[in-house]
Amino acid sequence: MSLAVAIQMDHISTINIAGDTTFALALEAQRRGFELWHYTPADLSQRGNQALARMQKLSVRDVKGDHFTLEEPVRRNLREMDVVLLRQDPPFDMNYITTTHILDLVHPDTLVVNDPTWVRNCPEKLFVTQFPDLMPETLITRDPSEVDAFRREYGDIIIKPLYGNGGAGIFHMQEADRNLASLLEMFMQMFREPFIVQRYLKEVRGGDKRILLIEGEPVGAINRVPAEHDSRSNMHVGGRAEPTKITDREREICARIGPALRERGQILVGIDVIGGYLTEINVTSPTGVREVKRFGGADIASLFWDAVEARLATRKG
């Protein structure tokens, strides 16, 4: 299958190719002979009911410091593409949401992955609350008295921005910590949205597992272990990736959420599991594909394009 693929992403010059999933997807697409185009969210426009982008033809190579070539920009209608990859990183803010509205103009005639309507309607820390029995105890609020009562009930807690990413702004507040009121004041000043509070899972010291799913089925995992003096396991803030296996409990979690992912057109998803509890369902630009392959696991980029081609074949059939 010969495809024209546009990738909506943060500029390719800014990525770290060693761990970048979008880059892995681009490499596999190029290997299959697909035509690649690159643009950033700032290059996306809507005129009438048309979604347009000033994009550049892209070629990639797995060479640090010399990993891409871009041709001169041209204005293209996204309906001229077979596939658009929605892959810019959060923050999941109004700019991000606006791009999903524009991409709605072409999907599904042009296949947008993941489905922009459901990316917009499935914020990663809110979508997960549809499965409360799989989660640790969770509170979403801006009310300091609710947070205080929650900590009195559960002791150690985690507080984080509702639409944050990459481990930024995550705080572990111990039961006796006297800084809770000050922290909440800071959050109230920084964020207009509610924030999320969860019971602290001490099992995080052994790792926060990222499990990748294709079409709702688990295909690989890595364990992300926090640095010694940090409670956050995200690799953006110093977490260490280790090989791991998917447990029976984690397969049960995937089986529960898989149908919802498939129905919503969320082809590539990353979930976070700590101590057998589901903490996030990442649908925007999940990572971990290169690490899984590096540790001897599945070639998830190849499985991803197999799934995309299958969706396109079904639609044309």
Side-chain angles (χ1 to χ4, degrees):
M1 187 178 289
S2 180
L3 301 177
V5 177
I7 308 176
Q8 178 176 303
M9 63 183 293
D10 302 319
H11 200 278
I12 194 167
S13 63
T14 67
I15 66 174
N16 175 7
I17 65 172
D20 193 88
T21 289
T22 306
F23 185 72
L25 301 180
L27 282 173
E28 176 60 19
Q30 181 173 273
R31 189 192 70 78
R32 294 185 181 214
F34 300 165
E35 182 180 82
L36 292 179
W37 294 84
H38 169 283
Y39 71 94
T40 71
D43 299 316
L44 183 65
S45 302
Q46 177 180 343
R47 183 164 183 173
N49 65 350
Q50 300 297 311
L52 310 169
R54 191 162 296 280
M55 59 180 69
Q56 296 169 272
K57 202 166 186 181
L58 168 69
S59 59
V60 290
R61 49 199 168 270
D62 203 357
V63 179
K64 184 178 180 181
D66 183 30
H67 60 277
F68 72 96
T69 299
L70 291 171
E71 298 185 9
E72 289 300 310
V74 294
R75 182 174 177 264
R76 299 287 300 271
N77 191 315
L78 291 186
R79 288 189 177 275
E80 300 171 21
M81 300 291 115
D82 296 297
V83 179
V84 172
L85 299 187
L86 172 54
R87 287 291 308 177
Q88 77 263 25
D89 287 338
F92 189 76
D93 54 14
M94 289 307 300
N95 181 55
Y96 206 116
I97 289 170
T98 300
T99 70
T100 68
H101 284 291
I102 296 175
L103 293 176
D104 276 341
L105 296 171
V106 300
H107 180 78
D109 297 328
T110 294
L111 180 64
V112 181
V113 184
N114 288 325
D115 182 322
T117 297
W118 287 108
V119 167
R120 181 171 66 249
N121 291 342
C122 297
E124 298 169 348
K125 297 177 182 67
L126 285 173
F127 182 31
V128 66
T129 63
Q130 296 188 24
F131 307 93
D133 57 310
L134 302 179
M135 298 181 63
E137 294 79 359
T138 298
L139 170 69
I140 297 172
T141 190
R142 281 180 65 85
D143 185 342
S145 65
E146 289 289 337
V147 180
D148 190 57
F150 189 88
R151 185 169 67 159
R152 287 199 306 272
E153 184 173 359
Y154 294 108
D156 288 12
I157 58 174
I158 290 288
I159 304 178
K160 50 190 175 182
L162 190 57
Y163 298 113
N165 68 294
I170 296 178
F171 289 85
H172 172 202
M173 301 297 292
Q174 296 180 332
E175 185 174 10
D177 196 312
R178 295 175 177 169
N179 293 300
L180 179 60
S182 295
L183 176 64
L184 294 178
E185 288 173 7
M186 182 180 70
F187 266 46
M188 298 281 280
Q189 292 172 5
M190 293 178 62
F191 307 111
R192 295 181 62 188
E193 305 84 10
F195 29 89
I196 187 166
V197 188
Q198 291 181 321
R199 176 172 64 84
Y200 176 70
L201 299 172
K202 62 181 182 301
E203 294 88 347
V204 73
R205 300 310 310 167
D208 177 351
K209 193 173 292 188
R210 163 59 55 86
I211 302 172
L212 290 158
L213 300 92
I214 298 286
E215 294 284 20
E217 297 291 337
V219 292
I222 55 171
N223 196 37
R224 301 169 299 174
V225 180
E228 182 179 355
H229 300 295
D230 203 326
S231 61
R232 302 168 299 171
S233 58
N234 307 70
M235 289 182 285
H236 289 292
V237 293
R240 181 181 73 255
E242 294 182 343
T244 190
K245 293 182 179 180
I246 302 174
T247 67
D248 290 343
R249 165 62 176 169
E250 290 156 356
R251 291 190 183 279
E252 290 175 7
I253 291 172
C254 293
R256 279 281 308 283
I257 68 173
L261 301 179
R262 288 189 291 272
E263 291 165 7
R264 291 163 170 79
Q266 304 304 292
I267 295 177
L268 176 59
V269 171
I271 65 171
D272 297 337
V273 180
I274 301 173
Y277 288 97
L278 178 65
T279 60
E280 289 190 20
I281 301 176
N282 298 278
V283 301
T284 51
S285 56
T287 60
V289 163
R290 301 213 85 182
E291 289 82 1
V292 168
K293 187 175 180 181
R294 188 180 307 132
F295 291 140
D299 185 348
I300 298 174
S302 180
L303 296 175
F304 170 83
W305 285 113
D306 288 346
V308 169
E309 289 185 314
R311 285 222 174 203
L312 291 171
T314 300
R315 187 180 65 185
K316 290 177 180 178

